[in-house]
Amino acid sequence: MIEIDIKNAFSNKVGLRNGIGERIFRNFLSKNKNLVTKVFQSKDKNGYAFLNLPDDQSLVRKIKKQVKDHQKNKWENIVVLGIGGSALGGIALRDALLGPHHFLEKKPHLFFVDNIDPDFVTQLFSYIKFEKSLFITISKSGKTIEPMALYSYTKEKLIQKKLNLKKHLIFITDPKKGTLRPIGKEENITMFDIPEKVGGRFSVLSSVGLVPTALGGIDISALLRGAKKMRDVIKKSKPENNPALILASLQYIFDNRRNKPMTVMMPYSNSLFRFGDWYRQLLAESIGKNPKTGPTPINALGTTDQHSQVQLYSEGPKDKWFIFLHILKYKNTLKLNGNMPKELEFLNNKKLNDIIDAAYIGTSESLAKNKHPNITLHIPKLNAEILGELFMLFEFQVALLGLLYKVDAFNQPGVEQQKIITKKILSNK
Ligand code: PA5
């Protein structure tokens, strides 16, 4: 299970101006414990229904059957066409569990085309063999320009190459609404539902995240098991031990009472860097709703960004607080030999694992010394179950934040508005 270490958030570590008094924090948790109950009670309401996703065993069975059926096609590539909440969870899962270099290692390769940059699209589409590729279009609304443009391009290519649409396409969309559903019916395409009451950025544990990653070889049962485990912990824990309430309270207090509108998520793991991207959308799109409420999430990577961002983080404005993701046991151990030059002799026979660990401790301690509050999520190891825990933990945190900040965490009128203007420009041409 993930453990949260919040000692560097308190005023005895980072001072009264930047930190939180332990007693005040305990009182805040206790005062807001009813919000946890409120979220659980709302589980069948619009948006909050993400809480039910780990229980959908019939979906798991349907996906596992598809995986089996598709194995005989020996796909070289699974290509997801989707954007925002329809892509970021899958990307996070792919990198966390298959690894950022998985393209060198395993087939099928799992690609996410989440932009319409013509160079980005052309480079992939001119490289892959269409006859060896499965294309999954994911769009809840079926109206989003980017995935629909990519879908139309893909379909044309498949037709030109006289390939069977039913074999090469899967749709993941709203069960009733949207434009993909009727196309899918007409073409007899395999379709998966995105539950009506689950929004894009809360949909990673639905067919949106599960279908592509199961086809890519990820253990989706373990993923959902982890999510369920975390949901139980959140339900049963006392306020002072409740991980979601603790995370939500820290976010709220640092932003609103300590003038720290920026939240930096910094995993010491390349595999978790895109998890930071997923969280960036979750926090920004859910809570950034008016000029007064809107924490800005930033994702950074340890140790890489120690040589890029940490100067600013340490000595720059005290407008940030930090969430470190620290892996206790990496999948691999890499030991250095004894050939270091004299000045670096202390590295002889050290493991990269020891070095990255020391670097994380050094950074968190030095930020605390410079009066920057930071917390750490200690992650025992990277596997599907832990990822399930992480997704549920942060989704629950953001649901709580909606209540604390008094905003609708589940809509995105700002995103809708730009979609409308873009459509207008393109239609008038
Ligand atoms: O979180 C959200 O709701 C958005 O980011 C959507 O996922 C994104 O705009 C894509 O929408 P759709 O799945 O309808 O294509």
Side-chain angles (χ1 to χ4, degrees), residues 336-348:
L336 301 179
N337 57 26
N339 293 329
M340 284 293 162
K342 203 151 181 51
E343 315 85 274
L344 294 169
E345 250 174 16
F346 62 92
L347 291 177
N348 278 339

Side-chain angles (χ1 to χ4, degrees), residues 114-212:
D114 65 342
N115 201 355
I116 43 169
D117 164 1
D119 296 337
F120 174 64
V121 177
T122 307
Q123 191 178 34
L124 177 71
F125 280 37
S126 57
Y127 171 77
I128 56 168
K129 291 190 193 106
F130 275 67
E131 54 281 16
K132 292 273 177 205
S133 305
L134 172 69
F135 298 88
I136 308 178
T137 306
I138 310 184
S139 179
K140 178 135 198 243
S141 60
K143 290 184 191 150
T144 310
I145 289 173
E146 292 89 338
M148 293 312 286
L150 293 166
Y151 158 70
S152 128
Y153 178 76
T154 307
K155 183 176 172 183
E156 200 184 300
K157 283 268 183 208
L158 290 169
I159 293 171
Q160 274 170 14
K161 290 175 188 288
K162 299 196 179 5
L163 293 167
N164 180 338
L165 293 184
K166 181 171 169 41
K167 182 176 166 191
H168 286 267
L169 293 175
I170 289 181
F171 290 169
I172 302 180
T173 191
D174 190 274
K176 293 187 193 130
K177 290 182 283 187
T179 50
L180 270 182
R181 183 80 28 198
I183 306 174
K185 274 192 188 150
E186 203 180 303
E187 306 273 6
N188 195 22
I189 306 294
T190 303
M191 288 192 276
F192 287 87
D193 297 346
I194 306 173
E196 263 179 295
K197 292 177 182 165
V198 174
R201 57 192 173 276
F202 288 84
S203 68
V204 59
L205 301 173
S206 76
S207 54
V208 171
L210 300 185
V211 173

Side-chain angles (χ1 to χ4, degrees), residues 310-366:
V310 169
Q311 167 58 38
L312 165 75
Y313 295 166
S314 278
E315 295 193 323
K318 294 199 166 30
D319 54 2
K320 304 172 192 68
W321 74 286
F322 298 83
I323 303 174
F324 290 108
L325 305 181
H326 171 229
I327 312 277
L328 296 175
K329 194 172 187 322
Y330 291 86
K331 284 182 196 134
N332 300 286
T333 304
L334 210 153
K335 197 171 175 220
L336 301 179
N337 57 26
N339 293 329
M340 284 293 162
K342 203 151 181 51
E343 315 85 274
L344 294 169
E345 250 174 16
F346 62 92
L347 291 177
N348 278 339
N349 302 314
K350 288 275 184 317
K351 297 181 196 121
L352 290 194
N353 310 54
D354 304 325
I355 303 173
I356 197 167
D357 243 29
Y360 145 69
I361 296 169
T363 306
S364 62
E365 285 306 311
S366 104

Side-chain angles (χ1 to χ4, degrees), residues 33 36-37 40-41 43 51 228-239 242-244 396:
K33 65 175 186 237
V36 175
T37 320
F40 277 112
Q41 281 168 348
K43 71 182 174 40
L51 277 169
K228 229 185 224 178
K229 221 168 166 183
M230 179 54 78
R231 191 183 58 187
D232 285 351
V233 167
I234 295 169
K235 194 168 195 170
K236 289 180 191 147
S237 299
K238 294 198 172 115
N242 191 312
F396 207 106

Side-chain angles (χ1 to χ4, degrees), residues 70-78 107-109 130-134 167-168 215:
H70 276 284
Q71 264 159 4
K72 64 177 183 297
N73 295 320
K74 297 199 170 22
W75 298 122
E76 285 184 2
N77 312 296
I78 314 265
K107 278 191 178 151
H109 296 148
F130 275 67
E131 54 281 16
K132 292 273 177 205
S133 305
L134 172 69
K167 182 176 166 191
H168 286 267
L215 285 158

Side-chain angles (χ1 to χ4, degrees), residues 81 145 211 249-250 425:
L81 315 173
I145 289 173
V211 173
S249 303
L250 290 172
I425 297 170

